[in-house]
Amino acid sequence: MKYLNLEDFDRAWIFRHKELPLSDDLKAEIKPYTEIVSNQLWNQYISQDSGHSSQFGSGDWPSRASVWSDKGDWQLAWDSEKNDLPSIILNHLDWDDNTNVLFFYDCDRVVETSWKVFKLSWKNFLFFDDGPILMGKKRKQVVQFLQNGNFAVGALPKK
């Protein structure tokens, strides 16, 4: 089994929050990975040495300033009545709606959905905002959301 049922995900409440309701159709498209698969994806895409963004060291690509090209504030958009992601993020991520995206909370929690579903439910995803990273499968662009209400956009370094 590669995915958990959303109800079995330890952070599932963020997708059932009464202030930010999601339709059953949207929730069906939000797929948390099992811990084992999350660990594999984290090791493959994020870090083999650090289990959480707060632990990134100089060998981890997210800690390199050269990765990040722009930054902005996501908190203002999150607090607004509109559901739009900040324009810097939308301009940076020129993905088709059906692009598969991975949202990395930490080494044990990775969620897959489509870019379309993420754009519609991003506020729910950010109830946990302690450094998660968004990337598209087979894409170079990345975004990291920081707990202070800022974000950084950039590109994966070449291997």
Side-chain angles (χ1 to χ4, degrees):
M1 184 169 76
K2 165 172 154 169
Y3 300 109
L4 295 171
N5 290 322
L6 186 58
E7 302 80 39
D8 296 331
F9 185 49
D10 66 347
R11 295 182 174 181
W13 68 267
I14 66 178
F15 302 111
R16 295 188 307 265
H17 197 280
K18 65 181 179 178
E19 300 291 322
L20 295 171
L22 297 178
S23 70
D24 288 340
D25 289 343
L26 276 182
K27 287 189 277 192
E29 297 298 318
I30 297 170
K31 303 172 190 168
Y33 284 102
T34 64
E35 187 174 320
I36 291 170
V37 175
S38 292
N39 285 189
Q40 292 167 345
L41 291 168
W42 181 272
N43 287 334
Q44 178 182 353
Y45 291 110
I46 306 297
S47 175
Q48 294 181 358
D49 300 320
S50 307
H52 188 272
S53 62
S54 64
Q55 302 167 340
F56 289 149
S58 60
D60 296 315
W61 67 261
S63 66
R64 296 184 208 150
S66 61
V67 166
W68 308 107
S69 58
D70 204 354
K71 58 186 173 184
D73 184 308
W74 64 264
Q75 188 71 51
L76 290 173
W78 196 90
D79 289 335
S80 82
E81 294 296 317
K82 293 183 178 180
N83 196 43
D84 299 337
L85 276 160
S87 60
I88 293 171
I89 294 174
L90 291 172
N91 291 334
H92 183 72
L93 304 177
D94 58 349
W95 300 335
D96 296 327
D97 279 349
N98 63 351
T99 299
N100 286 332
V101 300
L102 298 173
F103 196 78
F104 294 86
Y105 287 105
D106 56 42
C107 67
D108 295 330
R109 295 175 191 89
V110 180
V111 178
E112 180 181 327
T113 194
S114 69
W115 178 227
K116 178 181 180 178
V117 170
F118 185 83
K119 288 186 293 185
L120 293 170
S121 59
W122 72 276
K123 289 184 177 186
N124 300 80
F125 277 87
L126 286 178
F127 273 112
F128 289 94
D129 60 2
D130 55 345
I133 295 174
L134 171 70
M135 68 172 47
K137 282 188 171 178
K138 301 179 184 175
R139 308 287 186 201
K140 295 290 184 199
Q141 303 100 327
V142 293
V143 180
Q144 184 173 24
F145 298 91
L146 305 171
Q147 203 165 23
N148 65 5
N150 293 327
F151 65 84
V153 297
L156 291 171
K158 294 180 181 176
K159 292 185 178 186

